[in-house]
Amino acid sequence: MEKGMTNRQNAALQTKRKLIAAALELIKRNGFNAINVEDITREAGVAKGTFYTYFKRKEDIVLEISRAPFAEIGDELEAMRALPLVEKLTHYVRRFMQCVQFCGIHICRQWTRDVLDPNEVPENKDAQKWQYDVDMLQNILKNAVQNGELKKNTPIDLFTHILICQMYGMMTSWCMSDGKFDPLDWTEKFCAAQLPALFGPYLTAKN
């Protein structure tokens, strides 16, 4: 049981998790367009109406699947405070792409379609995902300046957008290529080749 929850709240959380896990498995297996709400509830072993207790439409569950793993990254970075900055950034970029790859190309495509124009999804809690990622990365770099890991003249905004464009570009290219390359493999190559070169001139003796 989750700490601080009543039995009823815990049961509801477990049901929601079962729906999310069922949807993830079905989308990976068959693709988003090939499944419906009834397929998801059947896979989860719950009544069809249960789905609508937690989600308004099939698309909403994709947003839940795609967002949840990213919350863990912030906690992991917090536990890595003592490590060199390039190592922390490598972990961040690697974990970002691991989350994308774990969810699968079908979910990645559907998520991209849903949030490509945030003005068209006013009720979508993920409409600001791009800004969420920008803020997280900026905070990592700002903390590095405050902690003396990066020099005060580090162009934080520029570096943030270079890394965000790389990650989102890798994700989009993976979808457009129909999965013909391993995004995690190329992410590792990018980090090894570019992060030391990009941040090297701005690292302090502390690193």
Side-chain angles (χ1 to χ4, degrees):
M1 180 182 292
E2 297 286 333
K3 187 177 180 180
M5 283 189 171
T6 65
N7 289 338
R8 184 173 180 179
Q9 289 171 326
N10 190 66
L13 177 61
Q14 296 308 316
T15 299
K16 184 177 182 180
R17 285 175 174 172
K18 280 171 41 175
L19 286 166
I20 292 170
L24 176 58
E25 178 58 32
L26 287 171
I27 294 169
K28 282 185 170 183
R29 191 190 312 158
N30 305 317
F32 179 80
N33 293 327
I35 67 170
N36 55 39
V37 170
E38 190 171 359
D39 294 328
I40 296 170
T41 54
R42 187 187 303 115
E43 180 82 8
V46 301
K48 183 177 179 180
T50 303
F51 181 91
Y52 298 101
T53 302
Y54 305 96
F55 308 101
K56 291 182 180 180
R57 57 192 185 123
K58 183 178 70 168
E59 288 76 8
D60 291 342
I61 207 165
V62 172
L63 302 175
E64 191 79 24
I65 291 168
S66 64
R67 187 62 174 268
F70 293 95
E72 300 172 1
I73 299 176
D75 295 335
E76 293 169 6
L77 290 171
E78 184 66 21
M80 297 173 66
R81 282 188 175 186
L83 295 179
L85 178 64
V86 169
E87 192 170 335
K88 285 184 283 191
L89 289 172
T90 298
H91 179 80
Y92 171 77
V93 177
R94 181 192 299 124
R95 289 287 288 116
F96 184 99
M97 292 310 303
Q98 281 178 339
C99 291
V100 170
Q101 195 170 31
F102 172 76
C103 289
I105 200 167
H106 295 299
I107 288 177
C108 186
R109 285 172 175 157
Q110 184 60 42
W111 178 84
T112 302
R113 281 192 288 266
D114 286 343
V115 302
L116 194 59
D117 183 354
N119 298 309
E120 293 298 319
V121 281
E123 295 183 1
N124 175 358
K125 67 180 180 182
D126 237 24
Q128 298 300 318
K129 177 65 165 65
W130 181 85
Q131 189 61 54
Y132 172 89
D133 291 331
V134 168
D135 290 345
M136 178 179 283
L137 190 49
Q138 279 185 333
N139 286 336
I140 294 171
L141 299 182
K142 286 177 180 178
N143 287 337
V145 171
Q146 292 173 357
N147 296 336
E149 298 173 89
L150 284 174
K151 297 175 183 177
K152 292 183 178 180
N153 65 335
T154 301
I156 290 175
D157 287 344
L158 174 62
F159 285 174
T160 295
H161 286 85
I162 287 174
L163 293 178
I164 289 293
C165 288
Q166 171 65 30
M167 293 188 298
Y168 274 68
M170 185 76 75
M171 184 173 68
T172 304
S173 296
W174 183 48
C175 292
M176 293 177 69
S177 73
D178 200 23
K180 287 186 171 60
F181 69 91
D182 183 342
L184 194 54
D185 176 51
W186 281 97
T187 295
E188 295 287 354
K189 292 175 180 177
F190 166 80
C191 289
Q194 296 297 323
L195 291 185
L198 192 64
F199 288 93
Y202 296 94
L203 294 173
T204 65
K206 189 173 182 178
N207 271 271

